[in-house]
Amino acid sequence: MKLLCSQKDLLQAINTVQRAVSQRTTMPILKGIFLETGNGKLKLVGNDLELGIETYVDAQTIEEGSVIIDSRLFGEIVRKLPESYIHIESDELNNITIKCEHSEFTLKGHSPVEYPQLPELDEGLLYEIEPQKLKDMIRQTVFAISQDETKPLLMGELLEIQGSSMSLVALDGYRLAISTSTIENSIGDINVIIPGKALMEINRIISGEEDSLSMSFTQKHALFTLGSTRIITRLLEGEFINYKQIIPKDNSLVVTSSRRDLQDSIERASLLAREGRNNLIKFSITDGLMMITSNSEVGNVYEEVNVRLEGENLEIAFNSRYLLDSLKVLESEEMNMYFSSSVSPCVIKPADNPGYTYMLLPVRISSGS
């Protein structure tokens, strides 16, 4: 294998595929990046058997071939090289030479024969969505996936397509986040569970400059194609919770407030809430006013936020971190909070985005707290 390519382009491609390379694997070959030349391109692949990322770099191919190179070392070398052209060559023993201007490295590579190939997916049936839409949907939901490995399904998100509507749904037993948008074509309804790790990597790869993003699904895998990059992830198998049944339908109290004012007040209150248990903050909601308090061993805090209220007064408590997670991803100036009782879930919706819903369970407090 012999090729010549740009240091800048190669580094970007390495950074992309490294997201699918695990340094904790028991298979040494998976700690490497698969390189292959052909048709004026250099293909790079990272694969941890759950997530695979493939991308291409323009390259002048002198001699076609393939090799496996250590991901961490390859990335560090290319990162330190000057922004010029890099010459890469491998021999029949998989020794790899990397040259750039006055620098030359020789590394021991590995035979690509045993490297696991990414699964083939039918790319004839593709769902199309604007990349920025998907990025926003992931950002608004992925923080609500479970970190509990005993509940593997909740470590992923439900991707649900019905007609031209697409939803991402995440829940962890304490909160629920749903983001809904439109796709550009409708080729059939689908429900699959995407691992949270894969969605986070897709979110990082989307730069916002791409024109389109396509998705394809099988019973076991999902493919996301973004320009010259393909991300293939294994799906989580099982039945996702019927989330629609757990969202309260009746609300005795609706509070409308400035998102920024509420977020700022909760952030200040959480400074002391962090010192206590459960990041606890308490709301006392009366006509025109929401009073936020937090008490801990180090002190007390009191905040007031002007609100509009429809319904009866209410006292309720929340984990401040869970509440802030949602407020930080809202982009609306105004938001609505829907309550039915002090022990029932609160539903949060931005005033100008009906496609986003966040539900949060309250923290039970004793009357003397």
Side-chain angles (χ1 to χ4, degrees):
M1 181 181 76
K2 291 182 184 179
L3 65 102
L4 191 68
C5 66
S6 156
Q7 181 270 351
K8 183 178 179 181
D9 293 345
L10 180 58
L11 180 58
Q12 182 176 350
I14 292 171
N15 290 338
T16 297
V17 300
Q18 275 183 334
R19 302 185 186 282
V21 177
S22 172
Q23 296 301 321
R24 295 190 295 271
T25 179
T26 57
M27 298 175 61
I29 199 168
L30 295 183
K31 295 181 180 180
I33 293 175
F34 175 87
L35 304 180
E36 184 177 52
T37 55
N39 300 319
K41 299 282 185 180
L42 171 65
K43 179 169 78 171
L44 297 88
V45 180
N47 185 4
D48 68 1
L49 302 183
E50 298 294 328
L51 175 69
I53 301 177
E54 172 188 287
T55 194
Y56 290 82
V57 173
D58 289 331
Q60 179 184 340
T61 302
I62 302 166
E63 183 178 306
E64 293 188 358
S66 57
V67 71
I68 304 296
I69 187 168
D70 181 87
S71 170
R72 182 186 59 80
L73 197 53
F74 188 38
E76 290 179 354
I77 289 171
V78 174
R79 191 170 292 108
K80 296 295 185 182
L81 289 174
E83 194 171 311
S84 182
Y85 282 93
I86 296 177
H87 179 273
I88 300 175
E89 179 178 345
S90 65
D91 61 21
E92 64 277 3
L93 298 177
N94 299 305
N95 296 309
I96 304 166
T97 302
I98 303 170
K99 298 178 182 178
C100 183
E101 293 189 354
H102 307 296
S103 301
E104 180 174 336
F105 294 84
T106 302
L107 304 176
K108 290 184 178 180
H110 300 280
S111 169
V113 173
E114 297 181 2
Y115 193 81
Q117 296 299 305
L118 297 179
E120 293 294 329
L121 276 77
D122 180 8
E123 298 187 40
L125 295 174
L126 297 175
Y127 297 87
E128 303 281 346
I129 187 171
E130 293 178 18
Q132 190 59 46
K133 278 186 180 180
L134 181 60
K135 188 178 181 73
D136 289 341
M137 293 174 71
I138 295 172
R139 179 178 58 85
Q140 291 177 337
T141 56
V142 75
F143 59 85
I145 64 171
S146 175
Q147 304 302 314
D148 186 351
E149 295 184 357
T150 66
K151 301 175 181 177
L153 284 184
L154 299 187
M155 296 183 73
E157 291 198 46
L158 176 67
L159 188 154
E160 186 175 51
I161 296 176
Q162 294 181 331
S164 61
S165 175
M166 171 175 153
S167 297
L168 277 179
V169 184
L171 61 91
D172 63 3
Y174 303 98
R175 60 224 178 124
L176 165 71
I178 308 167
S179 183
T180 301
S181 189
T182 55
I183 56 175
E184 297 177 9
N185 62 331
S186 179
I187 58 174
D189 297 351
I190 195 167
N191 289 276
V192 294
I193 305 174
I194 311 289
K197 175 188 174 183
L199 289 171
M200 286 187 277
E201 299 305 347
I202 292 168
N203 183 48
R204 294 185 181 109
I205 290 171
I206 297 173
S207 68
E209 300 176 357
E210 300 87 357
D211 294 328
S212 65
L213 185 150
S214 64
M215 303 176 291
S216 179
F217 305 97
T218 67
Q219 286 188 333
K220 293 189 175 181
H221 293 91
L223 166 67
F224 297 83
T225 303
L226 189 68
S228 61
T229 299
R230 299 167 74 241
I231 303 117
I232 298 177
T233 178
R234 187 183 297 274
L235 297 174
L236 297 177
E237 297 183 30
E239 194 73 25
F240 202 77
I241 292 174
N242 188 343
Y243 67 93
K244 295 177 182 177
Q245 287 188 343
I246 63 177
I247 301 174
K249 302 297 189 295
D250 300 319
N251 303 288
S252 60
L253 173 65
V254 181
V255 173
T256 302
S257 71
S258 160
R259 177 195 57 82
R260 172 52 60 186
D261 290 348
L262 182 59
Q263 181 179 335
D264 289 346
S265 292
I266 295 174
E267 285 180 342
R268 289 190 292 266
S270 69
L271 295 174
L272 294 188
R274 290 199 304 257
E275 304 297 325
R277 293 185 300 172
N278 302 323
N279 295 305
L280 184 68
I281 57 172
K282 301 173 187 175
F283 288 0
S284 295
I285 307 169
T286 61
D287 189 20
L289 202 61
M290 178 183 286
M291 292 160 281
I292 304 169
T293 58
S294 179
N295 304 318
S296 70
E297 293 180 358
V298 299
N300 308 319
V301 61
Y302 175 88
E303 292 277 342
E304 288 184 354
V305 178
N306 292 323
V307 299
R308 297 195 302 276
L309 181 148
E310 297 177 20
E312 301 295 324
N313 296 349
L314 182 70
E315 290 194 356
I316 195 168
F318 294 104
N319 180 312
S320 62
R321 182 172 67 84
Y322 289 173
L323 196 49
L324 284 172
D325 282 344
S326 69
L327 300 185
K328 288 176 180 177
V329 300
L330 299 183
E331 297 174 351
S332 302
E333 290 300 320
E334 278 198 337
M335 53 173 284
N336 296 320
M337 302 178 74
Y338 301 86
F339 303 90
S340 55
S341 75
S342 62
V343 295
S344 301
C346 165
V347 175
I348 296 173
K349 291 177 176 287
D352 60 359
N353 180 11
Y356 185 69
T357 299
Y358 184 74
M359 187 187 79
L360 176 62
L361 292 179
V363 177
R364 291 179 180 267
I365 53 176
S366 63
S367 59
S369 296

